[in-house]
Amino acid sequence: MAELTYRDAVAAGIAQEMTRDENVVFLGEDVAAAGGVFKATVGLLDKFGPRRVRDCPISEQAILGAAMGAAMTGLKPIAEIMFSDFLAVCWDIVANEIAKIRYMTNGQITLPLVIRTANGAGSRFGAQHSQSVENWAMAIPGIKIVAPAFPADVKGLLAAAVRDPDPVLFFEQKSLYSMKGEVPDGEYVDELGKAKVLRAGRDCTIVALAAMVHRALGAADILEKEHGISCTVVDVRSLVPLDTQTILREVVKTGRLVTVEENPRLCGWGAEIASIVADECFWDLDGPIVRITTPHVPLPSADLLEDNAIPSVERVVREIREKID
Amino acid sequence: MAELTYRDAVAAGIAQEMTRDENVVFLGEDVAAAGGVFKATVGLLDKFGPRRVRDCPISEQAILGAAMGAAMTGLKPIAEIMFSDFLAVCWDIVANEIAKIRYMTNGQITLPLVIRTANGAGSRFGAQHSQSVENWAMAIPGIKIVAPAFPADVKGLLAAAVRDPDPVLFFEQKSLYSMKGEVPDGEYVDELGKAKVLRAGRDCTIVALAAMVHRALGAADILEKEHGISCTVVDVRSLVPLDTQTILREVVKTGRLVTVEENPRLCGWGAEIASIVADECFWDLDGPIVRITTPHVPLPSADLLEDNAIPSVERVVREIREKID
Amino acid sequence: MDTSAKRNKSSPPAPDIGRETRLELYRLQLELRYCEKRAYDLFLQNLIKGTSHLSLGQEAIAAAFGVAMRPDDWTFCTYRGHAHTLARGASMEGVLGELMGRQCGLLGGKGGSMHLTDVKKGAMGSYAIIGAHLPVAAGAAWSAQYRGTEQVAVCFFGDGTANIGAFHEALNFAAVWKLPVVYVCENNLYMEYTPISAVTAVEHPAADRAAAYGLPSIIVDGNDADEVYKVAREALNKARAGGGPSLIEAKTYRHSGHSRADPAKYRPEGELEKWLQRDPIVLYRERLLKLGFNEPTLIDMEAEAMRQVDAATATAKASPLPSVDDIEKNVWADGGSAWRN
Amino acid sequence: MDTSAKRNKSSPPAPDIGRETRLELYRLQLELRYCEKRAYDLFLQNLIKGTSHLSLGQEAIAAAFGVAMRPDDWTFCTYRGHAHTLARGASMEGVLGELMGRQCGLLGGKGGSMHLTDVKKGAMGSYAIIGAHLPVAAGAAWSAQYRGTEQVAVCFFGDGTANIGAFHEALNFAAVWKLPVVYVCENNLYMEYTPISAVTAVEHPAADRAAAYGLPSIIVDGNDADEVYKVAREALNKARAGGGPSLIEAKTYRHSGHSRADPAKYRPEGELEKWLQRDPIVLYRERLLKLGFNEPTLIDMEAEAMRQVDAATATAKASPLPSVDDIEKNVWADGGSAWRN
Ligand SMILES: Cc1ncc(C[n+]2csc(CCOP(=O)(O)OP(=O)(O)O)c2C)c(N)n1
Ligand SMILES: Cc1ncc(C[n+]2csc(CCOP(=O)(O)OP(=O)(O)O)c2C)c(N)n1
Ligand SMILES: [Mg+2]
Ligand SMILES: [Mg+2]
């Protein structure tokens, strides 16, 4: 095991797969010569050359369209969309083309491709560069969705995404890029669709994703030590496929569900999970389902405002103390 | 009161507002000379002339961008996006520009504009022309969302949308265009953010939107007459602002909630409502929350397949019989 | 063929078109014509539901490319794609069956008229949202370039499509990467119901923009199968030889409305009549006769095309409806649609 | 000024630039320069969080348009918009305060460096997603045309932006509707870190595409405020007179990296040095001296600009932080953010 940053785990995952399979190619804006604006792909150009690692014009529709056309004719492209907010400029290619073509052609066309993108807040970039849009993607049938919280998951799930025969949208959380963690050496491949129980408790099950996993863990610590409230923390990791078995099982154990979402409130992934739980383990619930999210506003840029908009450890502690007894 | 089709109520609503306010203008593809591909805007060009009713190139980003720029400088544009699926090609303008500019500028820029679009299935058009995407929009802070189920609501809510100082996304359900109903004569303006209780029951509250309202009403009829299950039916009408008071009140009365959504399952508006109910009136619930949605697949085109994908009256009856006792 | 001054003069002159090829061009145009006509009849009988966009009058373009392309080349087309899909060799019962929503349909009823696809024949999909397939075609071309297969992607679209953003992105992208892709704009003078001239800043929506991507401006008579064939061969050769993309504007006209629902009242009087006199199939028949082809051969060909259409119609009508279980099939590569465990 | 052969020769020759105007051009360039430099210093002191994109080296363009525009004209700019916003008369404390996330900021800390806006001064927003503001500017121009106000919308963007779909849609739309909008491409040779030539099919990303929208190709030395001023005046007059849109490509160079985080290692050796010798402010100072302006006046102007920047810095530093309550304010016109009752 080596210690890697979340950022370096991205390059490690891509390199592992490009080494394994000549048909894996990588394209995006400023990704090759410059190694990406988040420096997550440094070294790939040197290692794999300009035929396989390509800089693109500012043409997101062309980038994802090209990835789609390449995937249906034998390549396995990894395409970068620099900030997840920019998925909006190529949303047609994601939601209407990539996600639907296999179904519309009754299975004639299959798309083994990965779209990587930097998601989320915390950099004081303002409303157009800070969104968490995993819920946009979750609403679209036909695309798998992964959002890792740890460097090891970045490498393992990215490799799994590349090997998956279906299109995968891979959300890298900007605020985690410099986080360090142990990452297995050598070939490492994880599995899509498996949530992880990171901490087992008795009173409440907190379900979180990406950066919010760390806040949930921090809150669970404080709740246990300072307030005697014992929480389970589940890292969802993959929204599609969704590991409802793990989530339902853990909610049944504690009788309570709290979701912690970085996205603004309405139609977040937590709403979907809440609706599943309120249907399928209603009789096991001991109290209301609580969703902790960013308020339903675009994100402000000033540090003070941004920090207070995104769910913080303190807010998770406070809300759980108020609502779970 | 005259009897109008849902389609004609669109033109009536637009005409009423264009007559009232010289700054209301209307633009879209094939909307002027041809009166729109759904013939919902026939007659407007003759009435208001080519300065106020304008045909556009196939450039959805330009159309909505132009509407935005016009709205911030004194006009009150109504822009048509022919099919709601095409919102994907201009999603950046909707989600990142129109919805966010007021907040980002701390209120310096306000956008009194309306985006009208034909939403939903039932015409055997296939996966790229049949989607119900109101949940895409609901996930975006900064845009109001209306989806009428009756001709009178089309006229009244469209007028309210035009008069609203904020951007409104107005979903017209394709499958309802030829439906007839009484529409108040003369100036008629409704109010955004008010749900309507269309039928009062004792056993279960069905919350529905647009075309699904009619299926919910049909199901409620059968459930009452044939199975002795008495249902409340709430027509949400406006997703943002959301009339949670009416919904919560009606759920408290019956103790059960069923949502009927035309959108595919994940992150539908019903999930949001389910999560609100599971939090705020958990103790009043007598059983699980049930969501009836289109399965989480792109839509198939053949009539048999399409009809069986969208929630039908029969399916609503069946699911409520199975899950509500 | 009319090319701008900028056109690369050094490309070799197209060799003449052989007699077999000419017969093939005629045969294919007839098949496309009769199959489209049948589609129209089947609407009227309410056997085809939903919408449908016919290529009646535009067949020369699809046919000429169909003949010029290599079997392993790829076609990307629009919702107006029946002809282009058939021209690659997709079966008539597959096409008509799909329009009728039958199991024998190319897509088993999942896609319908606007999404015809036959991957085995290189027909890589019909795309119903304007512009989207232009970058997708570039991607296929990239894959051919990457693997050195000398395959070419051919992408058809309409005049109205030249005004959407994806057109611009795809053309620049293809030009910068020198991709083996041929973009073919079928300028039929209208977007849906609006004349293209009312919404476009230049006379030729595609050709007048070729220079913006460093490409020569190419305009061809889209109702003359020979002319289209020559341009097609040249562009395909250029792409195969590593010369990069081409953008071709083919001038043509659709005989019917935009789609099933459209009676095409917006056309000025006499316009249709004028174009009917330039019906590509009538013109081509005259040319063949002038070139000494014998009339009975042509009449046989016509009868054979009709017979094929009849047979395909019968097969499609006899084909069962899809099964309701199909709704939840084929979202994922595993054949299913599960989003949870 | 270098214009292509296609440029409309009939537009009246720009009258010469008056002395007052020249001083104004110099003064404005100095203010933009010193304010940007201060922004840079404030980063280093960690008083500015987040990112920031400086216009150091590109000031002549924003300044020349600032001077040429009518007070009620509208500016639309990008995340690299400090200079353009100041050039319309926005206060330095409003700009620096916003960068520092203070209450006195133009947006009260809600928008930050990338979204500077001052509607009262006609600065209609800074847009951080490439291309989006081009159609928005067209819309403002439409509103001016509709109401007959003779206002003009001016829209600034970069070379890299000429490759995105929205550029194409906006230019065609503006040309077809003959809208009073001036599109100004500041070609600084790079998108973020990638040279524009590596990703663009033509040499001049904007000018070589003007013909695709029926517009003349206009290229101007973006480091020469007088030249930009003349082109600006001409385009603004044309727009006001109902002559429709213009597309101007101004060649320039940014002295610093793309954004705060960028040390700009990708630039070939000597390139920056070469461009520093063409620093627009140095050039302009030399010209003024040659034209007989007296040096002490220029020195005073410089001192005054620095003083203003100092004063604005002090005001911004003294301004309180925004209130946490602001988070839920100003989504809607009623000042709040309620999505439910
Ligand atoms: C993004 C988008 N906008 C609008 C439409 C609706 N639409 C379908 S076909 C069409 C006209 C296309 O015109 P053209 O490109 O000339 O092709 P033609 O139909 O003439 O073959 C339009 C506007 C669409 N499918 N996608
Ligand atoms: C749609 C979109 N894609 C990518 C980006 C990231 N990005 C920000 S600035 C930039 C480069 C823009 O280059 P150019 O237009 O030349 O402007 P400059 O920064 O040189 O002024 C890029 C790629 C973005 N903001 N929006
Ligand atoms: Mg056309
Ligand atoms: Mg640049």
Side-chain angles (χ1 to χ4, degrees), chain A residues 29-30 34 37 55-60 82 85-86 89 123-126 128-129 265-266 295-305 308-309, chain D residues 49-51 98 101 108-112 114-115 127-130 160-161 163-164 191-194 199 321-324 326-328 331 337 339:
Chain A
E29 293 164 19
D30 303 299
V37 298
D55 278 324
C56 295
I58 310 177
S59 307
E60 280 80 4
M82 198 185 282
D85 314 69
F86 310 164
V89 302
S123 309
R124 293 74 177 91
F125 285 168
Q128 294 187 331
H129 282 70
R265 161 89 202 201
L266 297 184
H296 202 61
V297 300
L299 279 170
S301 73
D303 43 2
L304 179 83
L305 301 181
N308 282 283
Chain D
K49 315 285 166 56
T51 186
E98 186 60 31
K110 293 288 254 304
M114 298 205 280
H115 299 297
Y127 298 77
I129 297 194
I130 294 295
T161 303
N163 289 331
I164 204 162
M191 36 185 279
E192 296 209 354
Y193 316 142
T194 304
V199 293
L321 294 176
S323 147
V324 169
D326 293 346
I327 294 170
E328 304 206 29
V331 170
S337 63
W339 52 269

Side-chain angles (χ1 to χ4, degrees), chain D residues 158-160 186-191:
Chain D
D159 45 286
E186 301 188 33
N187 183 350
N188 62 10
L189 309 186
Y190 291 89
M191 36 185 279

Side-chain angles (χ1 to χ4, degrees), chain C residues 152-182:
Chain C
V152 179
V154 176
C155 180
F156 298 95
F157 58 98
D159 45 285
T161 303
N163 289 331
I164 204 162
F167 164 88
H168 179 66
E169 294 192 12
L171 265 290
N172 182 61
F173 193 92
V176 174
W177 288 24
K178 270 206 156 202
L179 297 176
V181 54
V182 180

Side-chain angles (χ1 to χ4, degrees), chain D residues 16-78:
Chain D
D16 200 37
I17 302 173
R19 289 181 73 84
E20 282 310 304
T21 303
R22 282 223 160 86
L23 281 179
E24 188 59 14
L25 285 166
Y26 188 57
R27 187 191 58 72
L28 201 46
Q29 289 185 80
L30 289 173
E31 286 178 14
L32 306 186
R33 171 67 53 93
Y34 286 113
C35 196
E36 283 291 53
K37 280 196 161 176
R38 178 57 48 86
Y40 187 73
D41 297 341
L42 291 168
F43 297 151
L44 297 183
Q45 296 165 40
N46 205 26
L47 283 166
I48 292 181
K49 315 285 166 56
T51 186
S52 221
H53 306 77
L54 304 180
S55 285
L56 291 171
Q58 307 188 190
E59 298 91 343
I61 302 164
F65 270 89
V67 174
M69 287 167 76
R70 224 166 71 173
D72 63 345
D73 288 338
W74 296 303
T75 297
F76 290 83
C77 50
T78 72

Side-chain angles (χ1 to χ4, degrees), chain B residues 29-30 58 60 82-83 86 89 129, chain C residues 53 58 78-80 128-130 157-161 164 186 188 190-192 254 258:
Chain B
E29 294 164 19
D30 303 299
I58 310 177
E60 281 79 3
M82 197 185 283
F83 286 73
F86 309 164
V89 301
H129 282 71
Chain C
H53 305 77
Q58 307 187 192
T78 70
Y79 51 88
R80 193 182 307 288
I129 297 194
I130 294 295
F157 58 98
D159 45 285
T161 303
I164 204 162
E186 302 188 32
N188 61 9
Y190 291 89
M191 37 184 279
E192 296 209 354
R254 57 171 154 73
H258 166 72

Side-chain angles (χ1 to χ4, degrees), chain D residues 107-148:
Chain D
L107 320 167
K110 293 288 254 304
S113 156
M114 298 205 280
H115 299 297
L116 298 180
T117 303
D118 190 345
V119 167
K120 288 212 188 78
K121 304 289 185 182
M124 304 303 285
S126 300
Y127 298 77
I129 297 194
I130 294 295
H133 65 309
L134 278 76
V136 180
W142 172 34
S143 144
Q145 182 191 62
Y146 183 86
R147 292 176 296 116

Side-chain angles (χ1 to χ4, degrees), chain B residues 22 51-52 59 61-62 65-66 69 72-73 92 96-97 102-103 105-106 108 142 166 241-245 280, chain D residues 106-107 110 117-119 127 129 132 135-136 139-140 142-143 146-147 169 177 327 329-330 332-333 339-341:
Chain B
E22 167 79 17
R51 182 169 158 265
R52 298 183 65 192
S59 306
Q61 294 186 77
M72 67 170 74
T73 52
D92 177 56
N96 288 332
E97 315 300 337
R102 188 169 204 290
Y103 189 81
T105 64
N106 205 18
Q108 290 188 57
D166 292 309
L242 185 66
D243 185 358
T244 52
Q245 282 181 9
E280 301 180 28
Chain D
L106 287 176
L107 320 167
K110 293 288 254 304
T117 303
D118 190 345
V119 167
Y127 298 77
I129 297 194
V136 180
W142 172 34
S143 144
Y146 183 86
R147 292 176 296 116
E169 294 193 12
W177 289 23
I327 294 170
K329 286 190 185 146
N330 271 328
W332 307 126
W339 52 269
R340 59 177 288 185
N341 57 8

